Amino acid sequence: MPDISTNAKPTWCPGCFNFQILAGVKNALSRKISTHNAKKEDFALVSGIGCHAKIFDYINLNGVNTLHGRVLPTCLGIKVGNPNLEVIGFSGDGDAYAEGMEHLIHAARYNADIKYIVHNNQVFALTVGQPTPTTELGYKDKTNPLGVKLMPINPIKMMLNAGASFVARVFADAKQVEWVLEEALEHKGFAFIEVIQPCIIFHPDIGVKEKTYMLQENRHFKENLGDALKKAEEFDYNTINKIPLGIFYQKERETFEEKWPQLKSLIGRKASWKDIKR
Amino acid sequence: MKLNIRIDGHAGQGPNALAKVLGSVLAKQGYYVFISRDYGSYIRGGHNANVLTLSDSQIMSNDLEADIAIFLEKNIEIKEPRKLKDNCRIIDSAVEKNMYFAGRLVKMLGLDFRILENELKKLKNFDVNLRDAKKGYADAKTEFALRSLKNKLEFMDGGVGIAEGAIASGLDVYFAYPMTPATSVMGELAERQLENNHIVIELEGEIAAINAAIGSAITGAKAMTGSSGGGFDLMTEALSFIGQAEVPLVIYLAQRVGPGTGAATYTEQADLNLALNAGHGEFPRIVLAPGDPLECQELTSQAFYFSQKYRVPALILSDKHLAESLYTIKNKPVITKSQKCISLKRFNSYNHDESGTAADNAPAIAKSAESRIKKAEEIKKEARKFKPFKLYGKSGSKNLVLFWGSTKGAVLDACKDIDVKALQILYMEPFPEEIKSELLKAKNLLIVENNSTSQLAQLIASKTCIHINKENKILKYNGRPFLTDELRMEIEKRIR
């Protein structure tokens, strides 16, 4: 398999679960390159701002480390610029669910062929421990000494309602990440993947992993939106009871880039706007 | 020979369409035409005013008083300072539709009905419009026998000029979110997207629009976005990101009255400082300010040229008055061709090394800053090859009138035949510091701006250390553009 590492030395904390995500992503992408005759140039990676974003520095593929919250419009712009690229976005939970929420809802609606991985550690880690929209009630830090008073959002439920054509959640384990990204790469359309990732410094695993189970091992029919919504309700990001993992929902429909004749023509000719001579 | 024709009515009665049709007919007959639009923020009702000035020589502004008034409604009140001449011919009706008046006016001016008929073919509801126009033509008498002139004139507004310039520059992708008065460019580009094979996409907001434009730009596409006032404010974080990541992007900023929501459909030149300073950090940028639709086309092509070659943001600064007023243009634009200079590689909003990987050691940060300074110097040097400023009027005059952007029309018209020289600045950044010698030659400096704090005077002072006397600042900040005779009086009061 081709080596897609950079020379940059990772600056995540020793033992950080981001190493698991990085390994899973690198394995999935390397395999895609080696077995599907894909070239490194066929990929574009986009990351936001926060601990997750450093992943851009450790994978030697083209793309951009963009602004906080703006991963999805940047991904969309890349896809419009060259609809033949395999575009993969990375965000943290602050990035995806706080600053970038408006884009997330619309990305699900647009259904551009973009794979989107949210590293959800339920905390703003790089700014040293403030709560995000998925932090549980009562969580305290220096900026919230009275404790979190608002219920977290349920991103899986939200994405299902917003019309995402692929909705999955895994734990930050290299094997799970690799598996789900491979599945997503085979999916044509917007693939939302949430990775439940403990932050070993500010939001350690308080029994999440033990409560997880795999949907695909429990007769889950991923084509059924109603079933997916029911499963999404099993974990509200506040109380740890049962945490289903795997692909909640997957159903392909026409993609964003298939709807515009200009982009359809670029796909047909395997060209980008850059190739259009005027 | 010059006539000012007012066309007033409610939104929904079609005063704009009527004015545009009449303007097209006159332009086809070789007459110079200028039409400004005054309307409020409503879809139906209210009071919309179009003022059409026509002349046998170049004009780009309206006068205070109207020679002819077409009222699509009875009892229309004209808002000061504009008025009707004592002998103004008033054509009004509470029953007839807009194209009836087109027929009447065409007859009144002694123009060929067939030209009007051809213009009506370009609109919807041709049969009804033609019937109305014929009726109007039959109801009128010829009072001004306008013979046709040999001028070959294009007729367009500034927004169309920007769109034409973008298309001529090889635009691939335009992302935006609707906001008056920037949206006319989006509309024009959208209508022509299939014929020209580019793409126009409306996204969920201005932040999405500019970030998507950045995404397309890094794949090598020629990308553009545009907005006004608050919409542009939302884009400023991404503007700074471009400064760091070195992405070529053209941004259209159509000014309107601020601050806040301000007055959405009225004009102001109050975002010069914003365009020059928006975005945190220090990075090179281009800020170009066209003054008419010809310059809109030319400067848009220069914006693409500089942004691609130097991988910098290039802003085109327009305003409501320029974007939505209709002008006749005699000359063909000089379009600057540009290459697509970017290929997808690794870009970064974080300070980075050559490979695009984040780097925040001291030498890496200093190196990035120095490379941006060097780039700014190179841009400044190359900008001199273009026309960063233009001179008009009496070359030996000791009175010098300074202006920028959409005040061009009124300034040039007001300065005709009086003892002044006029200097227009088109490159706000990089600023043409060589104008200092012109400023020093003049004994009396005047400045004309559509704002309340004279932002061009502030810029000139910071770049040349030359200050313009307070009493010589002719500033208008009520949302309305300058009128020819009103401005001429203000200038005449101050010349020596």
Side-chain angles (χ1 to χ4, degrees), chain A residues 51-66:
Chain A
C51 289
H52 83 275
K54 297 181 177 192
I55 199 166
F56 179 76
D57 284 345
Y58 312 140
I59 304 178
N60 193 13
L61 294 173
N62 291 331
V64 56
N65 181 1
T66 182

Side-chain angles (χ1 to χ4, degrees), chain B residues 300-350:
Chain B
T300 300
S301 74
Q302 291 163 30
F304 275 97
Y305 173 80
F306 278 104
S307 70
Q308 284 290 332
K309 182 167 179 185
Y310 294 98
R311 303 175 179 203
V312 290
L315 279 71
I316 304 163
L317 198 49
S318 153
D319 59 26
K320 187 267 166 192
H321 185 57
L322 173 59
E324 296 188 357
S325 297
L326 284 152
Y327 300 70
T328 41
I329 308 166
K330 193 166 189 178
N331 298 325
K332 289 249 169 302
V334 178
I335 298 296
T336 305
K337 294 279 168 208
S338 51
Q339 305 296 315
K340 290 176 186 172
C341 299
I342 289 281
S343 293
L344 184 62
K345 54 176 186 95
R346 290 169 60 80
F347 294 83
N348 210 321
S349 69
Y350 209 86

